[in-house]
Amino acid sequence: MSKESEDGVHTICPYCGVGCGLQLEEGNEEGDVNIKPWFDAPVNEGALCIKGGAATEVVDHEERLKEPLIRDGDEFREATWEEAFDVVTDEMERIREEHGRQAMGFFGSSKCTNEENYLLQKLARRYGNNNVDNCTRMCHASTVAALRASLGAGAMTNSMQDLMEEADVYWIQGANPSEQHPIAHSKYFKQAALEDTFVVQVDPHSNKTSRDADLHLQLTPGTDIPLLNVVLKTVLDNGWVDEEFLDERTEGFEDVEATLEGFDVEEAAETCGVPLEDIQRAAEEYATAENAAIFTGMGMSQHACGTDNVQNLINLALATGNLGRPGTGVNPLRGQNNVQGTCDVGAMYNTLPGYIPTDDEEQRAEVAEVWGFEPPAEPGLSNIEITQAAGDQIHGLYVMGENPVISEPNGNEVVENLERMEFIVVQDIFMTDTAELADVVLPATSWAERGGTVTNTDRRVQRMRAATRVPGNTKHDRNILGEVGTRLFDEGFEFDSAEDIFEELRQVMDIYHGITYDRLGLEGVQWPCYEEGDEGDLFLYEDSFDTENGLGKLRGVRHQPPKEETDAEYPYVLTTARLEEHYNTGTMSTRSPTLMRRTGENFVDIHPDDAESLGVEDEQYVKLVSRRGEVEVKAHVTDDIKKGVIWTTTHFPDSPINRLTNDALDPEAKIPEYKASAAMVDVEPAAEPGD
């Protein structure tokens, strides 16, 4: 436990990517911790949303895992750590000997620290493959891919502070910061709006953000590209492009022009279901502003054309010169408190730490000098591809803090595939749906019990600090991985502390190289920070882009309908989203009494016209059915959603919507299409409210 001051221990909220600071003090009971406001926290200045305020409710929860478990037939039995480690390492060695180095998959976790994810990806590479991935594959992989290819780095180009102070227009597409990033919204977005920043929100569902916006473009799911092509065509036709910026700092604008030649804006607006004059007004507000900033979220990325969706946002920013200065840029709002850092440190199948491509021979050799072994060159499988290859190419799975049974699309098939695995080890804080299928379950420590670093949505690396004793017979994720790695490979995984791991990490990551634990202090440091003493960058690309020739890349894109379109049998577009009071697969948030009192079960929003034609009443239970599965939820009849579209959430394991969603993938980023599946609503049989 760390006692930094009489006021308690300073750490970071475990939920969304805003990275709010809070103070914890230990209670009288083992594992009991209390939250205090940290008024000087650099991101939130003491403010917390409902999730942050309730975060400690799961720390000493009665369902916490506290002993290693080994499967014995259909049940689990408690085991010693020695026995559990023996089984894990013996099975991993057996699988490699019988099936080869490519036969294991590794899942990192954005709920874990940079140091823990760094160790996991290093373990995968030392094992001999690049089959390592994390939940960014289900949220922002397409954003990362597009930003890396066109600008250089898969992260926010700007920072919350400069965006609030300098932006004249906010273009928010596929994101709902009021509910998904509440403190960022209240402290930055809403404050800017109150000071005359014009806010455009593009989203198929009316929400708290759209109600604060000046203009809401409520499009049909899967039509982001035609809407943005209307915007780009309007910009071109009115001469609102920044010719000097395009000439000096970009390439590929001719491709955008060719793509839009003869483009029918009226037809495109009809496809989107948005009045043409509203789209054109939004285009004028953005293109004629002195500084205009784009924010993007999973409504853009979770499509089979997600990379092209984000590319079109990049096209808009580059065409109007809105990059490389305060108050501009393309800014993904990351979902989890360390999804940015988990990607930064290399827990992805195609990049080593610092976004080094696995097939870059020169940079791979530099990493090998530090590691003492050369990581494999061939990109591996993404997490969804690992699951799909179960029993064929993949025979073993190492899962740290993830729950693919609930998070991956086509959930029934995910369960069938995992049951074909020869061996699964899961380390987590609760017995998740995935852990139920494991052969070994290892109890890990929670966010309040361990230290390390996490990286928030605007690239700020911050320290988490332990505030309470480790409960039961649990171990830190980094210590579990260190023990497994040492038993398998003798050396390279022996670290005394999280700081020791970070010291190695920064030797192979130029964007973190200038950061030390001492420099992080209570403020944190934003990457890139190349040398000790550097301040870190509030915004990127002031003089050039981090591409091979320093130029930003434009590329024209065309409308691609969802991979699964509606028909007579499945007439509704099913789309998914998040709630303010819940988080991802609900492993933590559905165990919080405070959050469950706010929303205790899943539901589906249905437009009143659709409800009338179906004979559905408000609060009635209905069955949602797709070509892959069915789930029963409560109906909310509301005009917040468009006619022909139904909207639900992904947080509740007892009504897992991933059983319905399509596992079609974006070919570039390999992200699944959660935002547009074909579905039907069945009112028979349906339970009565309260059953």
Short mmCIF file of all heavy atoms in Angstrom, two decimals, residues 23-66:
data_model
loop_
_atom_site.label_atom_id
_atom_site.label_comp_id
_atom_site.label_asym_id
_atom_site.label_seq_id
_atom_site.Cartn_x
_atom_site.Cartn_y
_atom_site.Cartn_z
N GLN A 23 -8.80 10.36 -5.19
CA GLN A 23 -8.02 9.96 -4.02
C GLN A 23 -8.73 8.82 -3.31
O GLN A 23 -9.96 8.81 -3.21
CB GLN A 23 -7.85 11.13 -3.05
CG GLN A 23 -6.91 12.20 -3.55
CD GLN A 23 -6.66 13.25 -2.48
OE1 GLN A 23 -5.67 13.19 -1.76
NE2 GLN A 23 -7.55 14.22 -2.38
N LEU A 24 -7.95 7.88 -2.83
CA LEU A 24 -8.48 6.76 -2.08
C LEU A 24 -7.85 6.73 -0.70
O LEU A 24 -6.66 7.02 -0.54
CB LEU A 24 -8.18 5.44 -2.79
CG LEU A 24 -8.78 5.22 -4.18
CD1 LEU A 24 -8.35 3.86 -4.72
CD2 LEU A 24 -10.29 5.32 -4.15
N GLU A 25 -8.65 6.37 0.28
CA GLU A 25 -8.11 6.11 1.60
C GLU A 25 -8.66 4.78 2.09
O GLU A 25 -9.81 4.43 1.83
CB GLU A 25 -8.43 7.24 2.58
CG GLU A 25 -9.90 7.49 2.79
CD GLU A 25 -10.14 8.62 3.78
OE1 GLU A 25 -9.18 9.31 4.14
OE2 GLU A 25 -11.31 8.81 4.18
N GLU A 26 -7.83 4.03 2.79
CA GLU A 26 -8.19 2.70 3.22
C GLU A 26 -9.16 2.76 4.39
O GLU A 26 -9.02 3.56 5.31
CB GLU A 26 -6.93 1.92 3.61
CG GLU A 26 -7.16 0.44 3.78
CD GLU A 26 -5.84 -0.31 3.86
OE1 GLU A 26 -4.84 0.30 4.27
OE2 GLU A 26 -5.83 -1.51 3.53
N GLY A 27 -10.18 1.88 4.33
CA GLY A 27 -11.14 1.78 5.41
C GLY A 27 -10.66 0.85 6.50
O GLY A 27 -9.52 0.38 6.51
N ASN A 28 -11.56 0.53 7.40
CA ASN A 28 -11.20 -0.32 8.54
C ASN A 28 -11.17 -1.79 8.19
O ASN A 28 -10.41 -2.56 8.77
CB ASN A 28 -12.20 -0.09 9.69
CG ASN A 28 -12.12 1.33 10.22
OD1 ASN A 28 -11.06 1.92 10.26
ND2 ASN A 28 -13.28 1.88 10.60
N GLU A 29 -12.00 -2.23 7.22
CA GLU A 29 -12.05 -3.62 6.84
C GLU A 29 -11.06 -3.90 5.72
O GLU A 29 -10.71 -3.02 4.94
CB GLU A 29 -13.46 -3.99 6.38
CG GLU A 29 -14.55 -3.76 7.42
CD GLU A 29 -14.41 -4.68 8.61
OE1 GLU A 29 -13.93 -5.81 8.41
OE2 GLU A 29 -14.78 -4.27 9.73
N GLU A 30 -10.61 -5.18 5.61
CA GLU A 30 -9.69 -5.57 4.54
C GLU A 30 -10.35 -5.31 3.19
O GLU A 30 -11.47 -5.74 2.92
CB GLU A 30 -9.33 -7.05 4.64
CG GLU A 30 -8.38 -7.50 3.53
CD GLU A 30 -8.01 -8.97 3.63
OE1 GLU A 30 -8.36 -9.59 4.65
OE2 GLU A 30 -7.39 -9.48 2.71
N GLY A 31 -9.65 -4.59 2.31
CA GLY A 31 -10.15 -4.31 0.98
C GLY A 31 -11.09 -3.13 0.90
O GLY A 31 -11.47 -2.70 -0.20
N ASP A 32 -11.49 -2.57 2.05
CA ASP A 32 -12.43 -1.46 2.06
C ASP A 32 -11.70 -0.16 1.76
O ASP A 32 -10.72 0.17 2.43
CB ASP A 32 -13.13 -1.40 3.42
CG ASP A 32 -14.18 -0.29 3.47
OD1 ASP A 32 -14.77 -0.02 2.41
OD2 ASP A 32 -14.39 0.28 4.55
N VAL A 33 -12.15 0.57 0.74
CA VAL A 33 -11.54 1.86 0.39
C VAL A 33 -12.63 2.89 0.17
O VAL A 33 -13.75 2.57 -0.25
CB VAL A 33 -10.66 1.76 -0.87
CG1 VAL A 33 -9.34 1.10 -0.57
CG2 VAL A 33 -11.38 1.04 -2.00
N ASN A 34 -12.29 4.13 0.45
CA ASN A 34 -13.23 5.23 0.28
C ASN A 34 -12.66 6.26 -0.68
O ASN A 34 -11.45 6.49 -0.73
CB ASN A 34 -13.51 5.90 1.63
CG ASN A 34 -14.06 4.93 2.65
OD1 ASN A 34 -15.01 4.20 2.37
ND2 ASN A 34 -13.45 4.89 3.83
N ILE A 35 -13.54 6.89 -1.45
CA ILE A 35 -13.13 7.90 -2.42
C ILE A 35 -13.21 9.29 -1.81
O ILE A 35 -14.17 9.63 -1.12
CB ILE A 35 -14.01 7.83 -3.68
CG1 ILE A 35 -13.70 6.57 -4.49
CG2 ILE A 35 -13.82 9.06 -4.56
CD1 ILE A 35 -14.52 6.43 -5.75
N LYS A 36 -12.18 10.08 -2.11
CA LYS A 36 -12.19 11.50 -1.77
C LYS A 36 -11.89 12.29 -3.03
O LYS A 36 -11.18 11.81 -3.91
CB LYS A 36 -11.11 11.80 -0.71
CG LYS A 36 -11.31 11.10 0.62
CD LYS A 36 -10.17 11.42 1.57
CE LYS A 36 -10.13 12.87 1.94
NZ LYS A 36 -9.08 13.16 2.95
N PRO A 37 -12.41 13.48 -3.16
CA PRO A 37 -12.12 14.28 -4.35
C PRO A 37 -10.66 14.73 -4.38
O PRO A 37 -10.08 15.06 -3.34
CB PRO A 37 -13.06 15.48 -4.23
CG PRO A 37 -13.41 15.55 -2.79
CD PRO A 37 -13.37 14.16 -2.25
N TRP A 38 -10.09 14.71 -5.57
CA TRP A 38 -8.73 15.21 -5.79
C TRP A 38 -8.89 16.49 -6.62
O TRP A 38 -8.97 16.44 -7.83
CB TRP A 38 -7.92 14.13 -6.52
CG TRP A 38 -6.55 14.54 -6.95
CD1 TRP A 38 -5.88 15.68 -6.64
CD2 TRP A 38 -5.66 13.78 -7.79
NE1 TRP A 38 -4.63 15.69 -7.22
CE2 TRP A 38 -4.48 14.55 -7.93
CE3 TRP A 38 -5.76 12.56 -8.42
CZ2 TRP A 38 -3.40 14.10 -8.71
CZ3 TRP A 38 -4.70 12.12 -9.19
CH2 TRP A 38 -3.53 12.87 -9.33
N PHE A 39 -8.95 17.60 -5.92
CA PHE A 39 -9.33 18.85 -6.57
C PHE A 39 -8.26 19.37 -7.53
O PHE A 39 -8.56 20.18 -8.41
CB PHE A 39 -9.66 19.91 -5.51
CG PHE A 39 -10.90 19.59 -4.73
CD1 PHE A 39 -10.83 19.24 -3.39
CD2 PHE A 39 -12.14 19.62 -5.34
CE1 PHE A 39 -11.98 18.94 -2.67
CE2 PHE A 39 -13.30 19.32 -4.62
CZ PHE A 39 -13.21 18.98 -3.28
N ASP A 40 -7.02 18.91 -7.37
CA ASP A 40 -5.95 19.36 -8.25
C ASP A 40 -5.66 18.37 -9.37
O ASP A 40 -4.67 18.51 -10.08
CB ASP A 40 -4.66 19.58 -7.44
CG ASP A 40 -4.80 20.71 -6.44
OD1 ASP A 40 -5.54 21.67 -6.74
OD2 ASP A 40 -4.20 20.64 -5.36
N ALA A 41 -6.50 17.36 -9.52
CA ALA A 41 -6.27 16.37 -10.59
C ALA A 41 -6.22 17.08 -11.93
O ALA A 41 -7.07 17.93 -12.24
CB ALA A 41 -7.38 15.32 -10.57
N PRO A 42 -5.23 16.75 -12.79
CA PRO A 42 -5.01 17.52 -14.01
C PRO A 42 -6.13 17.43 -15.03
O PRO A 42 -6.33 18.34 -15.82
CB PRO A 42 -3.72 16.92 -14.57
CG PRO A 42 -3.61 15.56 -13.95
CD PRO A 42 -4.23 15.68 -12.60
N VAL A 43 -6.89 16.34 -15.04
CA VAL A 43 -7.93 16.16 -16.05
C VAL A 43 -9.28 16.64 -15.58
O VAL A 43 -10.00 17.34 -16.30
CB VAL A 43 -8.00 14.68 -16.48
CG1 VAL A 43 -9.16 14.44 -17.45
CG2 VAL A 43 -6.69 14.23 -17.12
N ASN A 44 -9.66 16.27 -14.36
CA ASN A 44 -11.04 16.48 -13.91
C ASN A 44 -11.21 17.43 -12.75
O ASN A 44 -12.34 17.77 -12.38
CB ASN A 44 -11.65 15.13 -13.53
CG ASN A 44 -10.85 14.43 -12.42
OD1 ASN A 44 -9.63 14.32 -12.50
ND2 ASN A 44 -11.53 13.96 -11.40
N GLU A 45 -10.12 17.84 -12.09
CA GLU A 45 -10.17 18.80 -10.98
C GLU A 45 -11.20 18.41 -9.92
O GLU A 45 -11.97 19.23 -9.43
CB GLU A 45 -10.46 20.21 -11.51
CG GLU A 45 -9.36 20.73 -12.43
CD GLU A 45 -9.69 22.08 -13.02
OE1 GLU A 45 -10.90 22.39 -13.13
OE2 GLU A 45 -8.76 22.82 -13.38
N GLY A 46 -11.23 17.13 -9.58
CA GLY A 46 -12.09 16.65 -8.51
C GLY A 46 -13.43 16.12 -8.93
O GLY A 46 -14.08 15.39 -8.18
N ALA A 47 -13.90 16.48 -10.11
CA ALA A 47 -15.22 16.03 -10.56
C ALA A 47 -15.18 14.56 -10.94
O ALA A 47 -14.19 14.08 -11.51
CB ALA A 47 -15.68 16.87 -11.75
N LEU A 48 -16.24 13.83 -10.65
CA LEU A 48 -16.37 12.43 -11.03
C LEU A 48 -17.78 12.18 -11.54
O LEU A 48 -18.74 12.78 -11.07
CB LEU A 48 -16.10 11.49 -9.85
CG LEU A 48 -14.67 11.43 -9.31
CD1 LEU A 48 -14.62 10.58 -8.05
CD2 LEU A 48 -13.71 10.87 -10.36
N CYS A 49 -17.92 11.26 -12.49
CA CYS A 49 -19.24 10.86 -12.96
C CYS A 49 -19.80 9.79 -12.02
O CYS A 49 -19.15 9.39 -11.06
CB CYS A 49 -19.17 10.35 -14.39
SG CYS A 49 -18.40 8.71 -14.55
N ILE A 50 -20.99 9.29 -12.34
CA ILE A 50 -21.61 8.31 -11.46
C ILE A 50 -20.79 7.03 -11.38
O ILE A 50 -20.68 6.40 -10.32
CB ILE A 50 -23.06 8.00 -11.91
CG1 ILE A 50 -23.75 7.10 -10.89
CG2 ILE A 50 -23.09 7.41 -13.32
CD1 ILE A 50 -25.23 6.91 -11.15
N LYS A 51 -20.14 6.61 -12.49
CA LYS A 51 -19.31 5.39 -12.44
C LYS A 51 -18.09 5.62 -11.58
O LYS A 51 -17.73 4.77 -10.75
CB LYS A 51 -18.88 4.99 -13.86
CG LYS A 51 -19.98 4.37 -14.69
CD LYS A 51 -19.44 3.60 -15.89
CE LYS A 51 -18.71 4.45 -16.89
NZ LYS A 51 -19.60 5.40 -17.60
N GLY A 52 -17.42 6.75 -11.77
CA GLY A 52 -16.23 7.02 -10.96
C GLY A 52 -16.55 7.10 -9.49
O GLY A 52 -15.81 6.57 -8.65
N GLY A 53 -17.68 7.74 -9.15
CA GLY A 53 -18.05 7.86 -7.75
C GLY A 53 -18.39 6.53 -7.10
O GLY A 53 -18.27 6.37 -5.88
N ALA A 54 -18.80 5.55 -7.92
CA ALA A 54 -19.16 4.23 -7.39
C ALA A 54 -18.08 3.19 -7.61
O ALA A 54 -18.28 2.01 -7.34
CB ALA A 54 -20.46 3.75 -8.06
N ALA A 55 -16.90 3.61 -8.07
CA ALA A 55 -15.87 2.66 -8.50
C ALA A 55 -15.39 1.73 -7.39
O ALA A 55 -15.03 0.58 -7.65
CB ALA A 55 -14.68 3.41 -9.10
N THR A 56 -15.39 2.21 -6.15
CA THR A 56 -14.86 1.37 -5.07
C THR A 56 -15.83 0.28 -4.64
O THR A 56 -15.46 -0.62 -3.88
CB THR A 56 -14.51 2.22 -3.84
OG1 THR A 56 -15.69 2.95 -3.43
CG2 THR A 56 -13.40 3.20 -4.16
N GLU A 57 -17.08 0.31 -5.12
CA GLU A 57 -18.07 -0.68 -4.68
C GLU A 57 -17.72 -2.10 -5.10
O GLU A 57 -18.20 -3.05 -4.50
CB GLU A 57 -19.45 -0.30 -5.21
CG GLU A 57 -20.02 0.95 -4.57
CD GLU A 57 -21.41 1.30 -5.06
OE1 GLU A 57 -21.85 0.70 -6.07
OE2 GLU A 57 -22.06 2.17 -4.46
N VAL A 58 -16.87 -2.23 -6.12
CA VAL A 58 -16.53 -3.58 -6.58
C VAL A 58 -15.21 -4.08 -5.98
O VAL A 58 -14.86 -5.24 -6.15
CB VAL A 58 -16.46 -3.65 -8.12
CG1 VAL A 58 -17.79 -3.27 -8.73
CG2 VAL A 58 -15.35 -2.76 -8.67
N VAL A 59 -14.48 -3.20 -5.30
CA VAL A 59 -13.16 -3.58 -4.82
C VAL A 59 -13.23 -4.70 -3.79
O VAL A 59 -12.48 -5.68 -3.86
CB VAL A 59 -12.42 -2.35 -4.25
CG1 VAL A 59 -11.09 -2.77 -3.59
CG2 VAL A 59 -12.15 -1.33 -5.37
N ASP A 60 -14.13 -4.58 -2.82
CA ASP A 60 -14.25 -5.62 -1.79
C ASP A 60 -15.52 -6.44 -1.98
O ASP A 60 -16.10 -6.95 -1.03
CB ASP A 60 -14.20 -5.02 -0.39
CG ASP A 60 -15.35 -4.07 -0.12
OD1 ASP A 60 -16.01 -3.64 -1.10
OD2 ASP A 60 -15.61 -3.74 1.05
N HIS A 61 -15.95 -6.59 -3.21
CA HIS A 61 -17.18 -7.31 -3.52
C HIS A 61 -17.07 -8.77 -3.10
O HIS A 61 -16.00 -9.39 -3.23
CB HIS A 61 -17.48 -7.22 -5.02
CG HIS A 61 -18.87 -7.59 -5.40
ND1 HIS A 61 -19.27 -8.90 -5.53
CD2 HIS A 61 -19.95 -6.82 -5.67
CE1 HIS A 61 -20.55 -8.92 -5.88
NE2 HIS A 61 -20.99 -7.68 -5.97
N GLU A 62 -18.16 -9.32 -2.63
CA GLU A 62 -18.14 -10.69 -2.12
C GLU A 62 -17.81 -11.72 -3.20
O GLU A 62 -17.40 -12.84 -2.88
CB GLU A 62 -19.49 -11.02 -1.49
CG GLU A 62 -20.66 -10.97 -2.46
CD GLU A 62 -21.99 -11.23 -1.79
OE1 GLU A 62 -21.99 -11.38 -0.55
OE2 GLU A 62 -23.01 -11.26 -2.50
N GLU A 63 -17.97 -11.37 -4.48
CA GLU A 63 -17.70 -12.32 -5.55
C GLU A 63 -16.27 -12.24 -6.09
O GLU A 63 -15.95 -12.92 -7.06
CB GLU A 63 -18.70 -12.11 -6.70
CG GLU A 63 -20.13 -12.43 -6.30
CD GLU A 63 -21.12 -12.14 -7.42
OE1 GLU A 63 -20.68 -11.82 -8.55
OE2 GLU A 63 -22.33 -12.23 -7.17
N ARG A 64 -15.43 -11.45 -5.45
CA ARG A 64 -14.03 -11.38 -5.89
C ARG A 64 -13.38 -12.76 -5.85
O ARG A 64 -13.56 -13.53 -4.90
CB ARG A 64 -13.22 -10.43 -4.98
CG ARG A 64 -13.39 -8.95 -5.25
CD ARG A 64 -12.70 -8.49 -6.51
NE ARG A 64 -11.28 -8.74 -6.52
CZ ARG A 64 -10.34 -7.91 -6.01
NH1 ARG A 64 -10.72 -6.79 -5.43
NH2 ARG A 64 -9.06 -8.21 -6.09
N LEU A 65 -12.60 -13.07 -6.88
CA LEU A 65 -11.79 -14.28 -6.89
C LEU A 65 -10.63 -14.08 -5.92
O LEU A 65 -9.93 -13.06 -5.99
CB LEU A 65 -11.26 -14.55 -8.29
CG LEU A 65 -12.29 -14.93 -9.36
CD1 LEU A 65 -11.64 -14.90 -10.74
CD2 LEU A 65 -12.87 -16.31 -9.08
N LYS A 66 -10.38 -15.08 -5.06
CA LYS A 66 -9.32 -14.92 -4.06
C LYS A 66 -8.37 -16.11 -3.99
O LYS A 66 -7.37 -16.06 -3.26
CB LYS A 66 -9.93 -14.65 -2.69
CG LYS A 66 -10.68 -13.32 -2.63
CD LYS A 66 -11.16 -12.99 -1.23
CE LYS A 66 -11.85 -11.63 -1.21
NZ LYS A 66 -12.36 -11.28 0.15
#
